[in-house]
Structure formats: structure tokens, C-alpha cells
């Protein structure tokens, strides 16, 4: 049994990427894992100010939800990063959280990662850039392992993912944790 943390950065609850995150969660729970989802739209996370306090081993002086999310990331075995694709990159909500990992990023070690992304555009070589963005974060972490990626294109309006094969793929990927 693993501790799975799903971070959904969709600004829409039950939007397409959030729906794929829910399917992943259902599969992971069915497989006997402990699963928690953080919907970033419910959280207050300020931008990193670059003050450097966290790099000196002290807690970030900002009073928001970032510290508790980072603690959960450190304590988990598996981290799922779910995002809609905006201009071939991750959502601002997810990027803001990642930027706040500056101080404790070396403690986010030996984790399994899964990437889930949705985009309005179907196909195209540029949609995959979102995975490059996410991989850039992982390249800074000690010993991360990417275990799976789902990119579902051709979904714009909430609910369009319901008829896509990626919905079942997300469930099966979760079951395989």
C-alpha cells in the first residue's frame, strides 16, 4: 500500500483534467492505496517572492496553504500532477505551487510521479511541451521516477473527457500504482 497524493490544478472542479484525476484516484483506491486529492482551486497559494528565507532552512514567511501541501508531498510515495494545458504549458496554479517548492525540494525525494494533462487541441507536437515543463521540475528533485503520463487532447468544455479512452486509461493507471 502506498500513499498517493493527487494534485489537481484545474480551475474547474470536475473539469476535464480534474475528472481524469478522479478516475486515477478511484483506480488507486481500488488497488488498496491511501489516496488524497488536493484541488488547488480551493487553496490559497501566493507566488514565491524570492526572499531566500526557505533556502536558509527557515519556514517560508508567507501565510498560506503551500507549506501544508509541501509537507504532504514530502510524506507521499506517489505524486500525481494533473493540469489543463494552457498555451502548451501547465496551469498557473500548478506552476505557482512548484515555484514554492524552492526551499524543501530536496526533501521531495524517491517519489513516483504520474502526469495527467488535458488540452483543447487534438494532437500536435506542441501539446507535449507540458510534460517537458513538468519534467523540468522533476529534474531538480532527488531520484524521481515518472511512472506514467496521460495527455488527452480535443477536450475544451467540461465533461468532454467522458467519451475519451483516456478516462479508462487514468483509472487503469491508478490501479497499477
Amino acid at each position: 500500500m502506498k500513499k498517493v497524493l493527487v494534485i489537481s490544478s484545474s480551475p474547474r472542479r470536475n473539469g476535464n483534467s480534474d475528472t481524469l484525476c478522479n478516475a486515477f484516484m478511484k483506480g488507486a483506491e481500488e488497488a488498496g492505496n491511501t489516496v488524497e486529492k488536493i484541488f488547488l482551486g480551493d487553496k490559497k497559494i501566493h507566488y514565491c517572492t524570492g526572499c531566500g528565507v526557505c533556502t536558509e532552512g527557515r519556514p517560508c514567511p508567507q501565510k498560506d496553504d503551500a507549506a501544508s501541501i509541501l509537507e504532504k508531498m514530502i510524506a507521499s510515495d506517489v505524486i500525481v500532477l494533473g493540469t489543463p494545458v494552457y498555451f502548451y504549458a501547465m496551469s498557473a496554479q500548478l506552476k505557482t505551487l512548484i515555484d514554492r517548492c524552492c526551499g524543501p525540494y530536496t526533501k521531495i525525494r524517491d517519489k513516483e510521479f504520474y502526469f495527467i494533462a488535458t488540452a483543447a487541441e487534438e494532437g500536435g507536437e506542441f501539446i507535449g511541451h507540458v510534460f517537458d515543463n513538468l519534467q523540468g521540475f522533476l529534474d531538480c528533485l532527488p531520484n524521481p521516477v515518472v511512472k506514467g503520463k496521460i495527455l488527452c487532447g480535443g477536450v475544451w468544455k467540461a465533461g468532454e473527457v467522458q467519451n475519451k479512452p483516456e478516462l479508462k486509461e487514468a483509472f487503469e493507471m491508478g490501479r497499477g500504482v
Side-chain angles (χ1 to χ4, degrees):
M1 182 166 77
K2 295 181 181 179
K3 287 178 73 172
V4 179
L5 180 65
V6 177
I7 299 174
S8 176
S9 69
S10 173
R12 299 185 296 198
R13 185 174 298 284
N14 299 314
N16 294 308
S17 63
D18 191 46
T19 298
L20 290 178
C21 286
N22 290 342
F24 184 100
M25 286 178 54
K26 186 175 179 183
E29 288 169 342
E30 191 175 284
N33 298 289
T34 302
V35 182
E36 178 180 0
K37 178 176 146 185
I38 296 173
F39 184 75
L40 292 183
D42 291 343
K43 302 298 181 184
K44 185 177 185 182
I45 304 172
H46 301 297
Y47 300 119
C48 177
T49 63
C51 69
V53 170
C54 65
T55 62
E56 298 168 0
R58 298 186 317 221
C60 179
Q62 298 194 68
K63 304 299 179 210
D64 62 6
D65 295 317
S68 66
I69 296 170
L70 294 176
E71 287 174 17
K72 291 177 182 192
M73 291 173 75
I74 292 165
S76 68
D77 301 307
V78 176
I79 299 173
V80 178
L81 300 175
T83 184
V85 176
Y86 296 135
F87 299 101
Y88 307 124
M90 72 185 87
S91 70
Q93 293 85 342
L94 184 55
K95 180 64 168 112
T96 300
L97 175 66
I98 287 172
D99 288 349
R100 291 292 297 282
C101 292
C102 188
Y105 76 94
T106 59
K107 295 178 184 176
I108 305 171
R109 63 181 324 109
D110 304 316
K111 308 292 180 199
E112 296 177 359
F113 283 87
Y114 292 85
F115 300 156
I116 294 176
T118 58
E121 185 175 328
E122 183 106 40
E125 64 182 276
F126 298 112
I127 298 175
H129 287 320
V130 70
F131 293 147
D132 296 337
N133 296 156
L134 295 171
Q135 186 63 50
F137 170 53
L138 269 59
D139 287 346
C140 298
L141 305 179
N143 199 33
V145 178
V146 177
K147 299 290 281 189
K149 301 176 186 179
I150 295 176
L151 177 56
C152 182
V155 293
W156 175 272
K157 296 180 178 129
E160 289 182 334
V161 75
Q162 293 296 333
N163 298 320
K164 295 285 193 165
E166 289 85 356
L167 189 61
K168 183 175 182 189
E169 185 182 342
F171 174 79
E172 293 299 332
M173 197 162 62
R175 261 191 18 186
V177 168

